[in-house]
Amino acid sequence: MDRGGCQMSGGGGGGGGGGGDAIDQHGVITLEDLESFTEDQLSDSGNGSLEEEGETMEAEDGSDRLLHYWQEVARGHQVEVSADMAEPIQQLSSDNQGRSQREHVPFTLLLRKEKCGEQLYEKRHYEKGHWACITMREDTYEQSICYGFMRIMRYICQQNSLGDYLGMTLPIVTILRTNENHSVISQDVTVAYYLPIEHQAQPPQPYDGEIVIEVWPAATVYTRGFTGPTNEVTIINQINAMAELLDSPGMCVNDSFIVAGYTNPAHSNRQNEIWFLERR
């Protein structure tokens, strides 16, 4: 997982996250459901926070409602969602002229390790591919992934050399580094988006000068799913738990890891995976 800028020795991949209703009982909007998310679903969510706005909310259109919802949830994570995010949020919530399919990053399953009927981890192979990456350095891990994801969203939604919606892929991944004993996470966090298949050969260039298009080489990944928030404490716990499950943890890179997210990073009940990269 050696990186120059955003590059690392591997990519992300897809199974095991992010399904369900657009807003469930925990108020979670999944990335996979964003594009089919309608204003009616928002109004009927039972969340209450939108309807409590009364006449002001009634005067707002669908994009304002979505923006308001994101802003309310994100504030709980000390993240501010600016007004210029209304258009990207709305775009990801529409069918985009029929292009509402979400691609999963392709991989080949090599092994599934189970014990007493419980899945412990999977071993997968990913081919090389183009990823759009941005490295953030906010006060907390949570803030870095949220702000990084919003900038990637702008790139997906027209702020690119094609001037067009590129399409959503899952998962959105973050690359992080730790110290030798996995007790501290580096403040630099890279958020990355896999380019859809139709854009792999000629990736559209971002308007944002801090987003870099990288070619990630093929990699073998050991991955395990988990739910909930992804902050410094939970990530350290997941890294240590995964290390204990592997028969030979020394065969994996020891100071760089990936968190694969299938759910909007502003929400607490996220669907995630922790990834270890096999050494070359």
Side-chain angles (χ1 to χ4, degrees):
M1 193 190 286
D2 293 334
R3 293 192 288 124
C6 301
Q7 186 173 347
M8 59 162 219
S9 301
D21 295 331
I23 296 184
D24 66 11
Q25 61 182 343
H26 302 289
V28 174
I29 303 175
T30 65
L31 291 175
E32 187 157 321
D33 289 324
L34 265 176
E35 292 177 342
S36 59
F37 188 63
T38 67
E39 186 178 351
D40 289 340
Q41 287 174 299
L42 185 64
S43 298
D44 296 338
S45 67
N47 179 275
S49 61
L50 296 175
E51 283 70 23
E52 288 171 3
E53 298 298 323
E55 294 180 0
T56 302
M57 283 300 296
E58 289 180 10
E60 295 176 340
D61 61 17
S63 61
D64 288 333
R65 286 174 177 265
L66 287 166
L67 174 64
H68 181 81
Y69 183 83
W70 278 54
Q71 288 173 329
E72 287 297 309
V73 176
R75 284 192 187 103
H77 302 274
Q78 297 182 315
V79 171
E80 292 297 324
V81 179
S82 61
D84 67 357
M85 283 300 299
E87 184 175 354
I89 292 169
Q90 181 67 21
Q91 280 194 287
L92 285 179
S93 305
S94 68
D95 67 1
N96 289 287
Q97 299 176 333
R99 294 173 295 169
S100 59
Q101 292 293 325
R102 274 79 62 190
E103 292 182 24
H104 283 253
V105 183
F107 67 87
T108 301
L109 179 63
L110 302 178
L111 171 71
R112 180 177 287 120
K113 184 71 175 288
E114 298 181 346
K115 183 177 181 180
C116 300
E118 178 187 0
Q119 180 174 311
L120 301 181
Y121 62 83
E122 289 185 346
K123 181 180 180 180
R124 305 171 183 167
H125 178 76
Y126 293 90
E127 299 296 339
K128 72 176 182 179
H130 285 92
W131 293 71
C133 321
I134 185 167
T135 298
M136 307 297 293
R137 189 182 176 86
E138 300 295 331
D139 291 339
T140 68
Y141 177 85
E142 292 267 81
Q143 291 172 328
S144 290
I145 63 174
C146 289
Y147 286 124
F149 175 58
M150 286 190 285
R151 290 175 71 172
I152 292 290
M153 281 178 63
R154 293 186 181 101
Y155 166 67
I156 296 170
C157 299
Q158 295 188 357
Q159 291 192 17
N160 57 71
S161 56
L162 290 181
D164 197 8
Y165 172 74
L166 302 182
M168 193 67 214
T169 62
L170 295 173
I172 297 292
V173 306
T174 58
I175 310 161
L176 55 92
R177 293 183 178 274
T178 70
N179 59 350
E180 186 175 350
N181 62 0
H182 304 158
S183 61
V184 178
I185 294 177
S186 170
Q187 200 167 7
D188 290 337
V189 176
T190 297
V191 181
Y193 153 78
Y194 180 80
L195 272 294
I197 296 300
E198 67 175 304
H199 299 303
Q200 279 291 317
Q202 292 185 305
Q205 294 303 302
Y207 291 161
D208 187 334
E210 294 187 39
I211 296 178
V212 181
I213 306 299
E214 298 276 357
V215 178
W216 291 0
T220 299
V221 174
Y222 294 82
T223 176
R224 181 170 182 261
F226 67 98
T227 59
T230 51
N231 53 43
E232 287 88 342
V233 173
T234 60
I235 295 304
I236 289 297
N237 289 341
Q238 290 298 325
I239 289 172
N240 289 323
M242 181 66 163
E244 291 181 2
L245 292 174
L246 294 176
D247 296 327
S248 303
M251 65 189 172
C252 295
V253 176
N254 188 50
D255 62 351
S256 297
F257 305 92
I258 298 173
V259 178
Y262 297 83
T263 309
N264 180 344
H267 293 277
S268 59
N269 193 41
R270 297 194 281 271
Q271 305 297 314
N272 318 288
E273 292 172 340
I274 190 73
W275 291 3
F276 281 37
L277 293 178
E278 189 173 80
R279 293 184 187 274
R280 288 167 165 267

